[in-house]
């Protein structure tokens, strides 16, 4: 039962939504556990933390909206003293207030997770605000903004994985290292070469010996034999064509392991009726999405890895650029991000925002790391951004639904009249009838 029918009580609405949020968190963690091949859903402390956070968020959000639609008698009586234009504004911005209040649920999470969810919401709220600003002609429309965002985000993350790995979330750092197909010894050697530091010959020669390759005796050999040393360390002495083909095949194989269960599970969860109605067409679309995303991801990884070699050849080295040699790694990520054009438009936006969130998380950790459970200024600001960002998105969902990409999914959780803009006259009439009777 929804609170929109005016029959459900406030407490019933709050408890029902808490349960809905808790179960939604369990479902998401279950899917993530399947994709990661480990039963994270059985991690009861983690599930309880996320379940409580999601449950409280939904309970506060829809409970506040319930009060706006069907206020208690004492509130309705007290509101008669409020001027009509204030009543109108309060009703018009009811979702903004409800979303901002529901953001207080972030304090259930530990400080490190508070920062993560705050960045997630803030980036998505910024996307919505950008659409609104463009729609109102406040700023010019920027074509292919998602590709540019992907290029900048990938540049930051590739720089971070080499020079500031601790700034990345542990899971994402492991993901990057795995798909970069570089051993930690290779990454450390790249870092040292770009910073002009001596190679760790003991570790490097042990690694090369495992691949039946000769070692080095000069820790600065990369200054005199740049290309051959790079090929020896980063490409294990393979030819350019051989390395590229092997890298592509490995990347495509790794991508299939992600995209086959991802697209299959999401289709079962969100398009089950279409799957039953038109199984052949549905399976064909799933296969097309898997193939397209696999080709994109494999090319993305190949270019990110392979472009480092060519950038060094044109002078992106410590010998030529000094400490600015670090830019070689960032530039390789910047170039790789351009491959996002291979994905379909809807996926492009999703991927660009995901990479942006990870890059912002890393950049903030470089500038202002949070140590332990200390509530730093950054943590307080991020929590404020979470509340304001969530409020902003809820307001856009109600008054500007065309700006929300996943409004159909969001409508399953947000219980409010939505789908058209409320004019001043409508707001006055509705507020007189509901919130301020």
């Amino acid at each position: 039962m929804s609170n929109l029918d005016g029959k459900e009580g406030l407490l019933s609405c709050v408890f029902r939504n808490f349960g809905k949020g808790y179960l939604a968190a369990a479902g998401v963690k279950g899917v993530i556990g399947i994709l990661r091949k480990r039963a994270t859903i059985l991690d009861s402390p983690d599930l309880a933390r996320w379940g409580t956070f999601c449950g409280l968020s939904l309970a506060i959000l829809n409970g506040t909206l319930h009060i706006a639609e069907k206020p208690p008698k004492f509130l309705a009586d007290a509101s008669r003293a409020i001027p009509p234009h204030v009543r109108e504004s309060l009703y018009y911005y009811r979702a903004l207030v409800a979303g901002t209040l529901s953001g207080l649920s972030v304090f259930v999470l530990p400080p490190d997770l508070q920062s993560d969810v705050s960045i997630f919401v803030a980036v998505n709220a910024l996307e919505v605000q950008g659409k609104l600003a463009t729609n109102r002609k406040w700023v010019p429309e920027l074509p292919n903004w998602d590709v540019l965002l992907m290029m900048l985000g990938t540049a930051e993350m590739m720089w971070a994985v080499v020079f500031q790995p601790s700034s990345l979330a542990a899971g994402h750092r492991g993901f990057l290292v795995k798909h970069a197909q570089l051993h930690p010894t290779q990454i450390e050697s790249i870092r040292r070469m770009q910073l002009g530091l001596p190679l760790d010959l003991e570790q490097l020669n042990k690694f090369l010996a495992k691949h039946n390759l000769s070692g080095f005796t000069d820790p600065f050999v990369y200054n005199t034999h740049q290309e051959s040393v790079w090929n020896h360390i980063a490409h294990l002495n393979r030819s350019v064509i051989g390395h590229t083909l092997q890298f592509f095949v490995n990347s495509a194989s790794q991508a299939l392991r992600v995209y086959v269960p991802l697209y299959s599970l999401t289709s079962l969860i969100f398009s089950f009726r279409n799957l039953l109605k038109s199984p052949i067409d549905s399976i064909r679309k799933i296969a097309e999405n898997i193939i397209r995303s696999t080709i994109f991801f494999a090319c993305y990884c190949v270019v990110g890895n392979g472009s480092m070699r060519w950038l060094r050849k044109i002078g992106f080295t410590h010998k030529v650029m000094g400490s600015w040699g670090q830019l070689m790694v960032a530039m390789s990520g910047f170039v790789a991000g351009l491959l996002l054009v291979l994905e379909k438009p809807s996926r492009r936006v999703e991927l660009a925002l995901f990479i942006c969130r990870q890059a912002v998380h890393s950049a903030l950790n470089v500038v202002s790391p949070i140590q332990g459970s200390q509530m730093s200024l950054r943590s307080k600001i991020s929590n404020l951004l979470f509340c304001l960002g969530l409020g902003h998105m809820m307001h856009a969902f109600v008054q500007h639904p065309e700006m929300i990409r996943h409004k159909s999914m969001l409508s399953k959780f947000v219980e409010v009249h939505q789908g058209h803009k409320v004019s001043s006259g409508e707001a006055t009439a509705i507020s007189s009838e509901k919130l301020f009777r």
Side-chain angles (χ1 to χ4, degrees):
M1 181 185 296
S2 168
N3 65 4
L4 296 179
D5 57 18
K7 298 178 181 179
E8 185 181 30
L10 176 59
L11 286 179
S12 175
C13 171
V14 168
F15 284 115
R16 176 175 56 79
N17 277 282
F18 182 86
K20 185 196 294 187
Y22 202 101
L23 290 175
V28 170
K29 285 198 64 64
V31 171
I32 293 174
I34 293 173
L35 292 176
R36 292 181 176 177
K37 298 181 180 180
R38 56 191 178 91
T40 56
I41 194 171
L42 300 179
D43 185 359
S44 54
D46 194 41
L47 175 59
R49 183 168 55 224
W50 283 105
T52 303
F53 163 68
C54 294
L56 273 179
S57 183
L58 268 188
I60 296 172
L61 174 67
N62 288 320
T64 305
L65 292 172
H66 185 282
I67 293 173
E69 299 292 335
K70 188 182 178 184
K73 186 177 182 301
F74 77 91
L75 183 59
D77 292 340
S79 66
R80 293 192 179 97
I82 301 176
H85 68 280
V86 177
R87 296 201 301 267
E88 173 187 336
S89 295
L90 284 174
Y91 188 79
Y92 183 79
Y93 290 106
R94 66 198 185 282
L96 175 64
V97 174
T100 302
L101 290 176
S102 70
L104 296 174
S105 59
V106 74
F107 289 101
V108 172
L109 300 173
D112 57 333
L113 293 180
Q114 289 176 15
S115 178
D116 291 344
V117 297
S118 297
I119 292 171
F120 177 86
V121 169
V123 169
N124 283 275
L126 188 61
E127 179 208 4
V128 173
Q129 185 56 51
K131 289 180 179 179
L132 286 170
T134 302
N135 191 49
R136 294 175 179 178
K137 309 298 182 184
W138 293 348
V139 295
E141 185 175 359
L142 182 64
N144 298 317
W145 63 269
D146 48 0
V147 177
L148 178 60
L149 199 61
M150 183 76 167
M151 295 170 75
L152 293 172
T154 306
E156 197 285 334
M157 287 196 307
M158 285 197 63
W159 174 86
V161 80
V162 174
F163 298 103
Q164 290 285 345
S166 61
S167 69
L168 293 162
H172 193 63
R173 181 172 66 249
F175 178 87
L176 290 173
V177 172
K178 175 183 177 181
H179 292 284
Q181 298 180 42
L182 291 171
H183 189 273
T185 301
Q186 291 173 292
I187 295 176
E188 174 62 15
S189 297
I190 292 172
R191 185 186 74 85
R192 288 171 176 267
M193 285 191 286
Q194 295 307 119
L195 292 176
L197 300 174
L199 294 171
D200 186 346
L201 296 182
E202 181 179 357
Q203 292 299 321
L204 178 58
N205 289 340
K206 285 181 181 179
F207 169 76
L208 293 173
K210 291 179 182 179
H211 294 272
N212 298 318
L213 295 173
S214 59
F216 298 104
T217 56
D218 180 5
F220 292 97
V221 65
Y222 56 84
N223 284 328
T224 52
H225 301 84
Q226 292 189 31
E227 187 174 351
S228 61
V229 171
W230 176 268
N231 185 60
H232 202 74
I233 295 175
H235 295 175
L236 299 179
N237 227 22
R238 292 189 291 262
S239 66
V240 174
I241 295 177
H243 175 77
T244 301
L245 288 176
Q246 182 174 341
F247 201 97
F248 182 88
V249 171
N250 291 341
S251 296
S253 175
Q254 292 174 348
L256 284 171
R257 295 172 194 169
V258 174
Y259 287 123
V260 170
L262 176 64
Y263 280 114
S264 300
L265 285 172
T266 52
S267 296
L268 284 172
I269 295 172
F270 300 111
S271 304
F272 186 68
R273 291 182 180 178
N274 292 336
L275 190 61
L276 292 178
K277 185 178 179 180
S278 305
I280 302 300
D281 287 342
S282 297
I283 293 173
R284 178 180 56 80
K285 290 179 180 178
I286 293 172
E288 288 176 354
N289 287 333
I290 291 172
I291 293 171
R292 185 169 187 168
S293 292
T294 298
I295 292 174
F296 150 71
F297 189 78
C299 292
Y300 175 69
C301 292
V302 166
V303 172
N305 179 280
S307 59
M308 289 191 286
R309 177 184 190 137
W310 302 106
L311 286 167
R312 282 182 59 84
K313 289 187 73 171
I314 63 175
F316 280 81
T317 63
H318 181 271
K319 186 176 182 179
V320 175
M321 302 180 65
S323 60
W324 289 99
Q326 298 178 59
L327 285 177
M328 182 274 291
V329 181
M331 281 299 298
S332 66
F334 189 79
V335 174
L338 184 61
L339 273 294
L340 186 64
V341 297
L342 297 177
E343 267 287 9
K344 61 182 183 180
S346 59
R347 282 283 296 163
R348 282 168 50 171
V349 175
E350 292 286 356
L351 285 167
L353 291 177
F354 172 77
I355 293 297
C356 178
R357 290 192 292 266
Q358 298 296 332
V360 170
H361 178 276
S362 170
L364 286 175
N365 281 339
V366 171
V367 175
S368 173
I370 293 180
Q371 299 178 351
S373 60
Q374 180 182 3
M375 181 64 78
S376 65
L377 177 61
R378 171 192 153 187
S379 182
K380 294 175 182 177
I381 293 174
S382 68
N383 290 340
L384 177 62
L385 287 176
F386 179 78
C387 294
L388 295 178
L390 197 56
H392 179 69
M393 292 186 66
M394 291 302 100
H395 174 71
F397 174 71
V398 174
Q399 302 300 346
H400 308 280
E402 69 279 5
M403 302 297 168
I404 303 293
R405 280 182 293 109
H406 298 299
K407 50 183 174 289
S408 59
M409 185 186 300
L410 202 55
S411 63
K412 300 180 187 300
F413 296 95
V414 183
E415 300 170 353
V416 66
H417 292 291
Q418 179 264 348
H420 67 283
K421 295 182 181 180
V422 180
S423 65
S424 298
E426 288 177 322
T428 303
I430 295 173
S431 63
S432 298
E433 179 184 352
K434 293 186 176 180
L435 182 56
F436 303 114
R437 290 177 295 183

